[in-house]
Amino acid sequence: MELDALAKNENKKVQNLIIRGIRDIINHKNLEPGDKLPSERMLSEKFEVSRSNVREAIHKLEFYGLLKPKPQSGTFVANIGIVALNGMIDDILRLDEPDFKSLVETRILFELKTSKLAALRRTDEDLKQMKMALEAYKEKIENGEDAMQEDLLFHLAIAKASGNSTMNTFMLMITPEIITNFEKYHVCDKNLAIRGITEHEEIYNAILNQDSKLAKQKMKEHFRALYQYCYNI
Amino acid sequence: MELDALAKNENKKVQNLIIRGIRDIINHKNLEPGDKLPSERMLSEKFEVSRSNVREAIHKLEFYGLLKPKPQSGTFVANIGIVALNGMIDDILRLDEPDFKSLVETRILFELKTSKLAALRRTDEDLKQMKMALEAYKEKIENGEDAMQEDLLFHLAIAKASGNSTMNTFMLMITPEIITNFEKYHVCDKNLAIRGITEHEEIYNAILNQDSKLAKQKMKEHFRALYQYCYNI
DNA sequence: TATTATAAGTTGGTTAACCAAATACATTTT
DNA sequence: AAAATGTATTTGGTTAACCAACTTATAATA
């Protein structure tokens, strides 16, 4: 396990080294947005790493929208300007694993907003999905079983009903991390879970009745306990 | 260009097909969290695709925290429960490119929150970085040049000063898309830019004075024009 | 029988060879 | 001279072979 982590760290280190190198090339050769980067083979030779490593690094920068690989043609610098590009690469290099507190803070931000938006935009299909998730959650709790998954699915259903694809995606991205940390720190509590049924129903009803203010308010209450808990870690 | 897009679509289609297949395997074989997935070679044979395709699909599910590849051992189902896993895979399959409106809506949500948090948590180093970005922006505008990059760097500096690594990462992720769309729709306006100097200074001062309420208020005003613009598209 | 040692097979990761498309350049044609 | 054609090279993407670490099964030992 430790070796694995080390290997991953080493790998990341190499990748960051390549990213740094690419940034230097762009600056040194005064590559403008739209210009072509040296080929993957050239880069792998220059940095003395495998071509796969170079490709991974390029993929990462592509994910953040800084590079655009074109098949059988080359990899090109995105049209976002040299200054922003430098700043963003520096930020990307400085990125580390998100801390739990920051995750929860972000989640609550999303939850409040998506519940509000869902109340304004939810379709009948959205309501159906939310209702299903709600019932599944209820059944599990009433049987005394763990229902974290069903809980999260209800919240993801709200995110989907918000009609905001970006927030929906981000919620998906942070959910697994949330689950992992919740299990690690044993955040879940039976008392909370039972009260959760009522709270979920209140949120659902507010969204059903398109009362955006109430939906947000109920969501806020729903997260009050969690919020306080997390800021005492 | 069209062929390129088609190829990318085709590639994505294959990837989604594999993801669907993996989900079916997990369900059909009743794989519990922590269980091992069939090997990459087996999957590539079963789905009649290349091993690279399988690896890409696995990487995507790994990115969303659903699978955990272990070197020289196998790929394992994450500890998030079969129900949530199914729901999330369905969501991931349904993900499409974010629309501009959803991007802007999310960005504004972040900007208001990060400015507030930055006012509460900013360090001296954060202030220095923000000041630098602010000056660079000012200089460009006063010379009549385009300053979108410097504008964004100022906002990214705020995100960093918020002390929330998750929001910082997400801001980085949406920024290139924002830039692209702004250029496409020619959102930027000279008049807005000049007024932007004052607005940026007001935001900076509020954060400097640790007045979180004012910082959020000024940020809201800063985005009012953009907000209205985007909802008229 | 229980435990350790050992060997064979399986695994994700890595490397290198290969491919078809795109480009650059020389040649031919008009 | 300009345009069209053909050819060689370069490119990102793909495939297949290889590697070292990990599992499992078997054998040896107590």
Side-chain angles (χ1 to χ4, degrees), chain B residues 19 21 97 145:
Chain B
I19 291 179
E97 295 300 312
E145 297 175 72

Side-chain angles (χ1 to χ4, degrees), chain A residues 120-172:
Chain A
L120 298 171
R121 302 174 183 167
R122 91 288 184 287
T123 65
D124 290 345
E125 175 61 24
D126 290 330
L127 284 175
K128 205 171 119 194
Q129 293 288 332
M130 287 169 53
K131 185 78 180 175
M132 276 174 57
L134 179 56
E135 295 298 330
Y137 175 74
K138 221 158 121 182
E139 192 182 326
K140 281 265 182 165
I141 293 290
E142 285 170 351
N143 288 358
E145 297 176 70
D146 177 75
M148 200 203 308
Q149 305 170 47
E150 287 74 12
D151 178 23
L152 280 161
L153 283 180
F154 178 70
H155 288 279
L156 285 177
I158 294 177
K160 198 184 297 170
S162 77
N164 185 304
S165 56
T166 307
M167 292 189 205
N168 192 13
T169 304
F170 285 164
M171 282 282 284
L172 275 172

Side-chain angles (χ1 to χ4, degrees), chain B residues 152-168:
Chain B
L152 279 162
L153 284 180
F154 178 69
H155 287 280
L156 285 177
I158 293 177
K160 199 184 300 173
S162 76
N164 185 304
S165 57
T166 307
M167 292 189 203
N168 192 12

Side-chain angles (χ1 to χ4, degrees), chain B residues 53-193:
Chain B
N53 288 135
V54 173
R55 296 191 102 238
E56 269 186 57
I58 289 179
H59 279 349
K60 182 161 184 181
L61 292 181
E62 181 196 8
F63 175 76
Y64 284 103
L66 304 182
L67 296 181
K68 302 277 181 193
K70 245 185 179 175
Q72 281 76 38
S73 173
T75 299
F76 296 83
V77 179
N79 281 311
I80 65 159
I82 206 71
V83 181
L85 193 136
N86 267 285
M88 287 191 59
I89 288 186
D90 286 346
D91 286 341
I92 289 171
L93 288 172
R94 212 178 291 110
L95 284 182
D96 39 17
E97 295 300 312
D99 54 303
F100 189 33
K101 184 178 162 187
S102 126
L103 269 175
V104 172
E105 197 168 74
T106 309
R107 184 189 170 190
I108 292 175
L109 178 70
F110 278 139
E111 294 280 3
L112 297 186
K113 187 70 177 185
T114 52
S115 62
K116 189 172 158 185
L117 291 178
L120 297 172
R121 302 174 182 167
R122 90 287 185 287
T123 65
D124 290 345
E125 175 61 24
D126 290 330
L127 284 174
K128 206 172 120 193
Q129 293 288 331
M130 289 169 52
K131 186 79 181 174
M132 277 175 58
L134 179 57
E135 295 298 330
Y137 175 75
K138 221 158 123 181
E139 192 182 325
K140 280 266 182 163
I141 293 291
E142 284 169 352
N143 288 358
E145 297 175 72
D146 175 75
M148 200 204 308
Q149 305 169 48
E150 286 75 12
D151 178 23
L152 279 162
L153 284 180
F154 178 69
H155 287 280
L156 285 177
I158 293 177
K160 199 184 300 173
S162 76
N164 185 304
S165 57
T166 307
M167 292 189 203
N168 192 12
T169 305
F170 285 165
M171 283 282 284
L172 275 172
M173 287 174 56
I174 63 177
T175 295
E177 201 108 16
I178 295 270
I179 294 179
T180 307
N181 281 285
F182 270 37
E183 281 171 351
K184 189 157 63 184
Y185 296 128
H186 303 96
V187 175
C188 273
D189 185 354
K190 282 275 182 271
N191 300 338
L192 281 179

Side-chain angles (χ1 to χ4, degrees), chain A residues 20-215:
Chain A
R20 230 179 295 269
I22 290 177
R23 179 199 55 187
D24 292 344
I25 286 179
I26 291 175
N27 288 328
H28 191 261
K29 296 198 175 177
N30 284 320
L31 293 188
E32 303 267 320
D35 285 355
K36 194 169 78 173
L37 219 62
S39 74
E40 295 178 353
R41 288 166 182 81
M42 299 265 294
L43 292 175
S44 76
E45 194 179 340
K46 182 177 171 66
F47 300 142
E48 294 178 341
V49 295
S50 74
R51 210 185 128 197
S52 329
N53 287 137
V54 173
R55 296 192 100 236
E56 268 186 57
I58 290 179
H59 279 349
K60 182 161 185 180
L61 292 180
E62 181 196 8
F63 175 76
Y64 285 102
L66 303 182
L67 296 181
K68 302 277 180 191
K70 244 184 180 177
Q72 281 76 39
S73 173
T75 300
F76 296 83
V77 179
N79 282 309
I80 63 158
I82 204 72
V83 181
L85 194 136
N86 267 284
M88 287 191 58
I89 288 186
D90 286 345
D91 286 341
I92 290 171
L93 288 171
R94 212 177 293 110
L95 285 182
D96 39 18
E97 296 302 312
D99 54 304
F100 189 34
K101 184 178 163 186
S102 127
L103 268 175
V104 172
E105 195 168 75
T106 308
R107 184 190 169 187
I108 292 175
L109 179 70
F110 278 139
E111 295 280 5
L112 296 186
K113 188 70 177 185
T114 53
S115 63
K116 189 172 159 185
L117 291 177
L120 298 171
R121 302 174 183 167
R122 91 288 184 287
T123 65
D124 290 345
E125 175 61 24
D126 290 330
L127 284 175
K128 205 171 119 194
Q129 293 288 332
M130 287 169 53
K131 185 78 180 175
M132 276 174 57
L134 179 56
E135 295 298 330
Y137 175 74
K138 221 158 121 182
E139 192 182 326
K140 281 265 182 165
I141 293 290
E142 285 170 351
N143 288 358
E145 297 176 70
D146 177 75
M148 200 203 308
Q149 305 170 47
E150 287 74 12
D151 178 23
L152 280 161
L153 283 180
F154 178 70
H155 288 279
L156 285 177
I158 294 177
K160 198 184 297 170
S162 77
N164 185 304
S165 56
T166 307
M167 292 189 205
N168 192 13
T169 304
F170 285 164
M171 282 282 284
L172 275 172
M173 287 173 56
I174 62 177
T175 295
E177 202 106 17
I178 296 270
I179 294 180
T180 307
N181 280 285
F182 269 38
E183 282 173 350
K184 189 158 62 184
Y185 295 129
H186 304 96
V187 175
C188 273
D189 184 356
K190 282 273 180 272
N191 300 337
L192 281 180
I194 292 173
R195 222 179 63 198
I197 295 181
T198 319
E199 294 179 354
H200 275 202
E201 280 173 342
E202 287 174 341
I203 295 169
Y204 173 79
N205 285 327
I207 294 177
L208 175 70
N209 298 326
Q210 299 186 296
D211 187 338
S212 63
K213 208 168 171 181
L214 184 64

